Amino acid sequence: MNKNEFISRVAKKGGMTKGVADLALDVILETIQDALVEGESVHLVGFGTFDITKRKATLIRNPRTGKEMDLPEIKTPRFRPGMTLRRIVR
């Protein structure tokens, strides 16, 4: 399902226009992004948690050349599904 299909379903289920559903989705996603940038986690009970994880810096080796390279520490977003979502998907 792409974004347009998702918005159509939300609009139909919520009894709203596609424009309102699109705006609501954009605001929700932007709010989650802003919270993650600020270092906060977003907990949606029953659905899941959005948070940031850090991958530590490490030394890697290029398999072709054998040259060692430093891979710096990076932060990456993560989603962990809640129990309710896990049960529904099973």
Side-chain angles (χ1 to χ4, degrees):
M1 171 184 326
N2 63 32
K3 184 178 177 181
N4 287 331
E5 293 167 343
F6 183 76
I7 289 169
S8 294
R9 284 192 191 183
V10 169
K12 186 175 179 180
K13 278 191 169 196
M16 61 185 92
T17 66
K18 287 183 183 178
V20 172
D22 185 30
L23 178 62
L25 178 62
D26 287 344
V27 169
I28 289 167
L29 295 178
E30 185 176 323
T31 304
I32 292 171
Q33 290 172 3
D34 291 346
L36 293 176
V37 166
E38 293 170 6
E40 299 176 57
S41 294
V42 179
H43 305 278
L44 303 173
V45 177
F47 184 72
T49 302
F50 296 90
D51 61 4
I52 295 290
T53 61
K54 289 183 183 178
R55 187 174 71 196
K56 64 181 180 177
T58 186
L59 187 65
I60 61 172
R61 185 179 306 274
N62 183 330
R64 281 194 175 170
T65 64
K67 182 180 176 186
E68 290 184 343
M69 299 168 31
D70 286 322
L71 190 62
E73 176 179 274
I74 64 167
K75 293 190 284 185
T76 184
R78 173 178 66 170
F79 174 74
R80 290 179 295 160
M83 290 304 294
T84 304
L85 181 59
R86 287 186 210 169
R87 282 190 215 122
I88 292 170
V89 172
R90 286 188 189 179

